[in-house]
Amino acid sequence: MKIDNSVNDKKNDKRVSCSKHILKLLKKANQPLNYPDFGDNFSYGSLRNVMSKLVTRGKVIKLPKEYPTRFILPLWAHRPEYYFVQRRNKKGRVGRFDFLSYLESLSWESVLGVHDLRLCFMVYQLHWFKDGWTFCKRSRSYSRRFVLSYPVSVQCFDTGTVMVSIKCSSRPFSLDLDGLIALTHLLGEVRESLHAACVPDPDSWLVVQWHLNRDSEKLQGGGVDMYLTFRDFFLDSAQFYYKSQLGKVRSEVSQNPKRSIRDLFESILSRDVNPKKGDF
């Protein structure tokens, strides 16, 4: 009995032609495309299945953190606009843009700094609140502002999370040993002000967000209001803007490290000895 393979052959031909169709349109467009850009020659399900295979084989790279999803050809990965894309083992891999090196590469004489930090830690004994705390029913949290060597706001949630916010844009901490000592001293002040033995050592507090910065020399006669920003696909971003309070142009990087403050500073201070790109 002869088996009719015509149906399977048609399916295989369609699968092959779909992949050729995808690659042809990407090459012709010479820019990222999402599913609607491939037209209606093939169903969304077919496009998605074939695209998945192309990505797995390294013939197409999926741009991360995008909706709707866009795709590029691997040979475009060297382009400046796709600096965040790295390829390993025939698969699309994503790398962070090394924002710290970007700041270090600037010829400005000022040292690197860090400001507007948000740190968090966990406690499970929130009965230590006394006078001075304000309860917010909506967020189910207590908050209080402390005037220490820097103004600090503390917010305690009923989940056990404590958030410490340090607004210091005009007085950033230097990104060196002196800055680490000053910041450690401030966090020690915060811990003492909370008057609670359950608060862990500040060295272990996680940095939820911080802004790294480098400032130009002070501009004579002021500057022009401006604000330029770009970001990578891990929600890290960089900005250029005129800081009117200081009369300087600031280059600033916003990041969400989610690492302990000591771990971050040690990594930065040791970069000259053991440089590792992509850590920040």
Side-chain angles (χ1 to χ4, degrees), residues 179-190:
L180 174 60
I181 293 173
L183 180 56
T184 301
H185 176 73
L186 173 62
L187 299 182
E189 290 183 72
V190 176

Side-chain angles (χ1 to χ4, degrees), residues 64-164:
K65 302 287 185 179
E66 285 204 1
Y67 185 83
T69 305
R70 296 190 302 164
F71 303 90
I72 66 171
L73 293 176
L75 56 87
W76 301 348
H78 69 281
R79 297 180 182 178
E81 62 266 36
Y82 308 126
Y83 58 77
F84 51 85
V85 177
Q86 298 175 350
R87 296 187 65 235
R88 300 173 186 166
N89 299 326
K90 297 183 179 181
K91 293 184 179 181
R93 289 292 185 261
V94 182
R96 288 180 184 272
F97 182 65
D98 190 3
F99 283 112
L100 187 60
S101 291
Y102 148 72
L103 289 179
E104 290 173 333
S105 69
L106 295 175
S107 59
W108 297 346
E109 295 181 359
S110 63
V111 298
L112 295 176
V114 60
H115 64 278
D116 290 3
L117 299 93
R118 297 180 67 199
L119 307 96
C120 75
F121 58 87
M122 299 292 294
V123 296
Y124 298 98
Q125 304 176 40
L126 299 182
H127 59 271
W128 39 271
F129 295 114
K130 296 182 179 179
D131 294 338
W133 292 88
T134 302
F135 180 73
C136 177
K137 187 176 181 179
R138 182 176 181 180
S139 62
R140 298 187 62 81
S141 65
Y142 288 88
S143 62
R144 184 173 179 179
R145 181 177 173 82
F146 295 92
V147 180
L148 306 172
S149 53
Y150 283 77
V152 175
S153 297
V154 180
Q155 190 172 14
C156 306
F157 299 89
D158 62 358
T159 59
T161 300
V162 178
M163 187 73 67
V164 178

Side-chain angles (χ1 to χ4, degrees), residues 200-219:
D201 191 292
D203 285 349
S204 66
W205 297 1
L206 295 181
V207 179
V208 178
Q209 184 181 67
W210 68 355
H211 293 176
L212 306 177
N213 72 274
R214 192 163 201 170
D215 294 343
S216 70
E217 297 302 312
K218 191 166 184 177
L219 302 180

Side-chain angles (χ1 to χ4, degrees), residues 6 21 24 31 45 54 68 108 117 154 173 222 235 244 254 266:
S6 60
H21 175 73
K24 180 180 179 181
Q31 64 181 16
L54 290 174
W108 297 346
L117 299 93
V154 180
F173 295 94
L235 302 183
S244 57
S254 174
E266 286 180 349

